[in-house]
């Protein structure tokens, strides 16, 4: 799983940071990395980012507390 995450992270980072996919933002002449594209790519390839995985775990914990 860790190798898959590394491979997908490299692929998705490259995809989201390409010039044609960057998001234009004031103060950044070359734009910024498309974070939404990165997260979507990671989830589509079956490896959610650490942030989205943590939020899914937190949501599951909350649902367990409600059902108890």
């Amino acid at each position: 799983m860790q190798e898959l995450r590394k491979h997908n992270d490299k692929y998705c980072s490259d995809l989201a940071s390409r010039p044609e996919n960057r998001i234009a933002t004031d103060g950044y002449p070359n734009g910024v990395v498309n974070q939404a594209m990165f997260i979507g790519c990671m989830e589509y390839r079956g490896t959610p980012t650490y942030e989205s995985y943590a939020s899914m775990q937190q949501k599951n914990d909350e649902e367990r507390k409600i059902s108890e």
Side-chain angles (χ1 to χ4, degrees):
M1 180 70 167
Q2 195 170 19
E3 280 299 313
L4 178 64
R5 182 178 297 280
K6 285 180 185 179
H7 181 269
N8 288 346
D9 184 67
K10 183 177 181 337
Y11 174 81
C12 294
S13 293
D14 180 54
L15 181 67
S17 63
R18 288 184 181 164
E20 63 269 19
N21 295 332
R22 289 180 154 291
I23 298 172
T25 305
D26 290 341
Y28 296 93
N30 295 326
V32 295
V33 172
N34 190 336
Q35 188 68 16
M37 180 179 277
F38 173 77
I39 291 171
C41 175
M42 289 291 282
E43 290 175 350
Y44 178 77
R45 294 173 67 89
T47 51
T49 61
Y50 291 110
E51 292 84 12
S52 60
Y53 180 76
S55 68
M56 286 188 292
Q57 288 298 102
Q58 184 180 16
K59 182 181 175 187
N60 290 341
D61 291 344
E62 290 172 358
E63 288 176 356
R64 279 190 215 121
K65 286 179 184 178
I66 292 171
S67 65
E68 290 178 349

PDB file of all heavy atoms in Angstrom, residues 29-48:
ATOM      1  N   PRO A  29       2.509  34.745  -9.894  1.00  0.00           N
ATOM      2  CA  PRO A  29       2.492  34.905 -11.347  1.00  0.00           C
ATOM      3  C   PRO A  29       2.380  33.578 -12.112  1.00  0.00           C
ATOM      4  O   PRO A  29       1.818  33.540 -13.200  1.00  0.00           O
ATOM      5  CB  PRO A  29       3.811  35.603 -11.671  1.00  0.00           C
ATOM      6  CG  PRO A  29       4.668  35.413 -10.467  1.00  0.00           C
ATOM      7  CD  PRO A  29       3.751  35.231  -9.304  1.00  0.00           C
ATOM      8  N   ASN A  30       2.866  32.502 -11.551  1.00  0.00           N
ATOM      9  CA  ASN A  30       2.796  31.201 -12.224  1.00  0.00           C
ATOM     10  C   ASN A  30       1.632  30.352 -11.736  1.00  0.00           C
ATOM     11  O   ASN A  30       1.501  29.196 -12.122  1.00  0.00           O
ATOM     12  CB  ASN A  30       4.097  30.429 -12.026  1.00  0.00           C
ATOM     13  CG  ASN A  30       5.265  31.113 -12.683  1.00  0.00           C
ATOM     14  OD1 ASN A  30       5.104  31.734 -13.726  1.00  0.00           O
ATOM     15  ND2 ASN A  30       6.430  31.029 -12.075  1.00  0.00           N
ATOM     16  N   GLY A  31       0.789  30.914 -10.869  1.00  0.00           N
ATOM     17  CA  GLY A  31      -0.353  30.176 -10.339  1.00  0.00           C
ATOM     18  C   GLY A  31       0.051  29.253  -9.203  1.00  0.00           C
ATOM     19  O   GLY A  31       1.214  29.188  -8.818  1.00  0.00           O
ATOM     20  N   VAL A  32      -0.912  28.547  -8.663  1.00  0.00           N
ATOM     21  CA  VAL A  32      -0.666  27.611  -7.572  1.00  0.00           C
ATOM     22  C   VAL A  32      -1.152  26.223  -7.981  1.00  0.00           C
ATOM     23  O   VAL A  32      -1.967  26.068  -8.882  1.00  0.00           O
ATOM     24  CB  VAL A  32      -1.359  28.049  -6.260  1.00  0.00           C
ATOM     25  CG1 VAL A  32      -0.779  29.341  -5.736  1.00  0.00           C
ATOM     26  CG2 VAL A  32      -2.855  28.203  -6.450  1.00  0.00           C
ATOM     27  N   VAL A  33      -0.655  25.216  -7.276  1.00  0.00           N
ATOM     28  CA  VAL A  33      -1.016  23.829  -7.575  1.00  0.00           C
ATOM     29  C   VAL A  33      -2.515  23.633  -7.382  1.00  0.00           C
ATOM     30  O   VAL A  33      -3.118  24.156  -6.451  1.00  0.00           O
ATOM     31  CB  VAL A  33      -0.231  22.875  -6.649  1.00  0.00           C
ATOM     32  CG1 VAL A  33      -0.718  21.447  -6.795  1.00  0.00           C
ATOM     33  CG2 VAL A  33       1.248  22.956  -6.948  1.00  0.00           C
ATOM     34  N   ASN A  34      -3.113  22.867  -8.263  1.00  0.00           N
ATOM     35  CA  ASN A  34      -4.538  22.585  -8.216  1.00  0.00           C
ATOM     36  C   ASN A  34      -4.798  21.480  -7.187  1.00  0.00           C
ATOM     37  O   ASN A  34      -4.764  20.290  -7.500  1.00  0.00           O
ATOM     38  CB  ASN A  34      -5.010  22.165  -9.612  1.00  0.00           C
ATOM     39  CG  ASN A  34      -6.496  22.077  -9.716  1.00  0.00           C
ATOM     40  OD1 ASN A  34      -7.190  21.896  -8.731  1.00  0.00           O
ATOM     41  ND2 ASN A  34      -6.995  22.196 -10.936  1.00  0.00           N
ATOM     42  N   GLN A  35      -5.036  21.871  -5.938  1.00  0.00           N
ATOM     43  CA  GLN A  35      -5.210  20.929  -4.838  1.00  0.00           C
ATOM     44  C   GLN A  35      -6.440  20.039  -5.043  1.00  0.00           C
ATOM     45  O   GLN A  35      -6.408  18.852  -4.725  1.00  0.00           O
ATOM     46  CB  GLN A  35      -5.318  21.689  -3.508  1.00  0.00           C
ATOM     47  CG  GLN A  35      -5.320  20.804  -2.294  1.00  0.00           C
ATOM     48  CD  GLN A  35      -3.994  20.119  -2.048  1.00  0.00           C
ATOM     49  OE1 GLN A  35      -2.969  20.505  -2.592  1.00  0.00           O
ATOM     50  NE2 GLN A  35      -4.011  19.096  -1.242  1.00  0.00           N
ATOM     51  N   ALA A  36      -7.510  20.595  -5.580  1.00  0.00           N
ATOM     52  CA  ALA A  36      -8.720  19.805  -5.819  1.00  0.00           C
ATOM     53  C   ALA A  36      -8.446  18.692  -6.830  1.00  0.00           C
ATOM     54  O   ALA A  36      -8.931  17.567  -6.671  1.00  0.00           O
ATOM     55  CB  ALA A  36      -9.849  20.703  -6.291  1.00  0.00           C
ATOM     56  N   MET A  37      -7.664  18.993  -7.841  1.00  0.00           N
ATOM     57  CA  MET A  37      -7.318  17.979  -8.836  1.00  0.00           C
ATOM     58  C   MET A  37      -6.449  16.891  -8.205  1.00  0.00           C
ATOM     59  O   MET A  37      -6.632  15.696  -8.471  1.00  0.00           O
ATOM     60  CB  MET A  37      -6.579  18.604 -10.016  1.00  0.00           C
ATOM     61  CG  MET A  37      -6.187  17.593 -11.079  1.00  0.00           C
ATOM     62  SD  MET A  37      -5.343  18.346 -12.463  1.00  0.00           S
ATOM     63  CE  MET A  37      -6.750  18.923 -13.396  1.00  0.00           C
ATOM     64  N   PHE A  38      -5.520  17.294  -7.340  1.00  0.00           N
ATOM     65  CA  PHE A  38      -4.649  16.330  -6.659  1.00  0.00           C
ATOM     66  C   PHE A  38      -5.470  15.373  -5.793  1.00  0.00           C
ATOM     67  O   PHE A  38      -5.308  14.157  -5.865  1.00  0.00           O
ATOM     68  CB  PHE A  38      -3.616  17.064  -5.802  1.00  0.00           C
ATOM     69  CG  PHE A  38      -2.789  16.145  -4.948  1.00  0.00           C
ATOM     70  CD1 PHE A  38      -1.759  15.402  -5.509  1.00  0.00           C
ATOM     71  CD2 PHE A  38      -3.047  16.012  -3.602  1.00  0.00           C
ATOM     72  CE1 PHE A  38      -1.001  14.538  -4.719  1.00  0.00           C
ATOM     73  CE2 PHE A  38      -2.299  15.162  -2.814  1.00  0.00           C
ATOM     74  CZ  PHE A  38      -1.277  14.423  -3.381  1.00  0.00           C
ATOM     75  N   ILE A  39      -6.376  15.919  -4.996  1.00  0.00           N
ATOM     76  CA  ILE A  39      -7.195  15.093  -4.102  1.00  0.00           C
ATOM     77  C   ILE A  39      -8.089  14.160  -4.914  1.00  0.00           C
ATOM     78  O   ILE A  39      -8.196  12.967  -4.616  1.00  0.00           O
ATOM     79  CB  ILE A  39      -8.014  15.976  -3.148  1.00  0.00           C
ATOM     80  CG1 ILE A  39      -7.085  16.669  -2.163  1.00  0.00           C
ATOM     81  CG2 ILE A  39      -9.082  15.162  -2.419  1.00  0.00           C
ATOM     82  CD1 ILE A  39      -7.749  17.735  -1.323  1.00  0.00           C
ATOM     83  N   GLY A  40      -8.717  14.685  -5.956  1.00  0.00           N
ATOM     84  CA  GLY A  40      -9.569  13.865  -6.803  1.00  0.00           C
ATOM     85  C   GLY A  40      -8.792  12.742  -7.480  1.00  0.00           C
ATOM     86  O   GLY A  40      -9.269  11.605  -7.572  1.00  0.00           O
ATOM     87  N   CYS A  41      -7.604  13.049  -7.934  1.00  0.00           N
ATOM     88  CA  CYS A  41      -6.757  12.053  -8.582  1.00  0.00           C
ATOM     89  C   CYS A  41      -6.382  10.944  -7.602  1.00  0.00           C
ATOM     90  O   CYS A  41      -6.469   9.760  -7.929  1.00  0.00           O
ATOM     91  CB  CYS A  41      -5.497  12.730  -9.125  1.00  0.00           C
ATOM     92  SG  CYS A  41      -4.276  11.612  -9.833  1.00  0.00           S
ATOM     93  N   MET A  42      -5.978  11.318  -6.404  1.00  0.00           N
ATOM     94  CA  MET A  42      -5.593  10.324  -5.397  1.00  0.00           C
ATOM     95  C   MET A  42      -6.779   9.425  -5.049  1.00  0.00           C
ATOM     96  O   MET A  42      -6.631   8.202  -4.958  1.00  0.00           O
ATOM     97  CB  MET A  42      -5.058  11.005  -4.142  1.00  0.00           C
ATOM     98  CG  MET A  42      -3.712  11.650  -4.312  1.00  0.00           C
ATOM     99  SD  MET A  42      -2.364  10.496  -4.528  1.00  0.00           S
ATOM    100  CE  MET A  42      -2.114   9.974  -2.843  1.00  0.00           C
ATOM    101  N   GLU A  43      -7.947  10.003  -4.862  1.00  0.00           N
ATOM    102  CA  GLU A  43      -9.123   9.204  -4.511  1.00  0.00           C
ATOM    103  C   GLU A  43      -9.556   8.320  -5.678  1.00  0.00           C
ATOM    104  O   GLU A  43      -9.923   7.168  -5.475  1.00  0.00           O
ATOM    105  CB  GLU A  43     -10.262  10.111  -4.060  1.00  0.00           C
ATOM    106  CG  GLU A  43      -9.993  10.751  -2.725  1.00  0.00           C
ATOM    107  CD  GLU A  43     -11.046  11.748  -2.301  1.00  0.00           C
ATOM    108  OE1 GLU A  43     -11.915  12.107  -3.130  1.00  0.00           O
ATOM    109  OE2 GLU A  43     -10.988  12.173  -1.143  1.00  0.00           O
ATOM    110  N   TYR A  44      -9.478   8.836  -6.896  1.00  0.00           N
ATOM    111  CA  TYR A  44      -9.844   8.057  -8.076  1.00  0.00           C
ATOM    112  C   TYR A  44      -8.924   6.847  -8.240  1.00  0.00           C
ATOM    113  O   TYR A  44      -9.362   5.773  -8.642  1.00  0.00           O
ATOM    114  CB  TYR A  44      -9.784   8.942  -9.328  1.00  0.00           C
ATOM    115  CG  TYR A  44     -10.107   8.213 -10.600  1.00  0.00           C
ATOM    116  CD1 TYR A  44     -11.424   7.901 -10.932  1.00  0.00           C
ATOM    117  CD2 TYR A  44      -9.098   7.825 -11.480  1.00  0.00           C
ATOM    118  CE1 TYR A  44     -11.728   7.225 -12.092  1.00  0.00           C
ATOM    119  CE2 TYR A  44      -9.389   7.140 -12.645  1.00  0.00           C
ATOM    120  CZ  TYR A  44     -10.711   6.850 -12.946  1.00  0.00           C
ATOM    121  OH  TYR A  44     -11.008   6.172 -14.103  1.00  0.00           O
ATOM    122  N   ARG A  45      -7.651   7.031  -7.900  1.00  0.00           N
ATOM    123  CA  ARG A  45      -6.679   5.947  -8.028  1.00  0.00           C
ATOM    124  C   ARG A  45      -6.670   5.024  -6.807  1.00  0.00           C
ATOM    125  O   ARG A  45      -5.856   4.117  -6.718  1.00  0.00           O
ATOM    126  CB  ARG A  45      -5.295   6.524  -8.287  1.00  0.00           C
ATOM    127  CG  ARG A  45      -5.228   7.233  -9.642  1.00  0.00           C
ATOM    128  CD  ARG A  45      -3.930   7.958  -9.861  1.00  0.00           C
ATOM    129  NE  ARG A  45      -2.793   7.080  -9.991  1.00  0.00           N
ATOM    130  CZ  ARG A  45      -2.368   6.567 -11.138  1.00  0.00           C
ATOM    131  NH1 ARG A  45      -2.998   6.851 -12.252  1.00  0.00           N
ATOM    132  NH2 ARG A  45      -1.315   5.789 -11.168  1.00  0.00           N
ATOM    133  N   GLY A  46      -7.577   5.249  -5.850  1.00  0.00           N
ATOM    134  CA  GLY A  46      -7.728   4.331  -4.724  1.00  0.00           C
ATOM    135  C   GLY A  46      -6.848   4.606  -3.537  1.00  0.00           C
ATOM    136  O   GLY A  46      -6.725   3.771  -2.653  1.00  0.00           O
ATOM    137  N   THR A  47      -6.218   5.777  -3.490  1.00  0.00           N
ATOM    138  CA  THR A  47      -5.370   6.122  -2.347  1.00  0.00           C
ATOM    139  C   THR A  47      -5.740   7.525  -1.868  1.00  0.00           C
ATOM    140  O   THR A  47      -5.190   8.508  -2.351  1.00  0.00           O
ATOM    141  CB  THR A  47      -3.875   6.101  -2.725  1.00  0.00           C
ATOM    142  OG1 THR A  47      -3.695   6.896  -3.893  1.00  0.00           O
ATOM    143  CG2 THR A  47      -3.375   4.710  -2.964  1.00  0.00           C
ATOM    144  N   PRO A  48      -6.676   7.637  -0.940  1.00  0.00           N
ATOM    145  CA  PRO A  48      -7.040   8.970  -0.465  1.00  0.00           C
ATOM    146  C   PRO A  48      -5.857   9.659   0.207  1.00  0.00           C
ATOM    147  O   PRO A  48      -4.973   8.987   0.746  1.00  0.00           O
ATOM    148  CB  PRO A  48      -8.171   8.702   0.533  1.00  0.00           C
ATOM    149  CG  PRO A  48      -8.023   7.279   0.919  1.00  0.00           C
ATOM    150  CD  PRO A  48      -7.394   6.588  -0.239  1.00  0.00           C
TER     151      PRO A  48
END
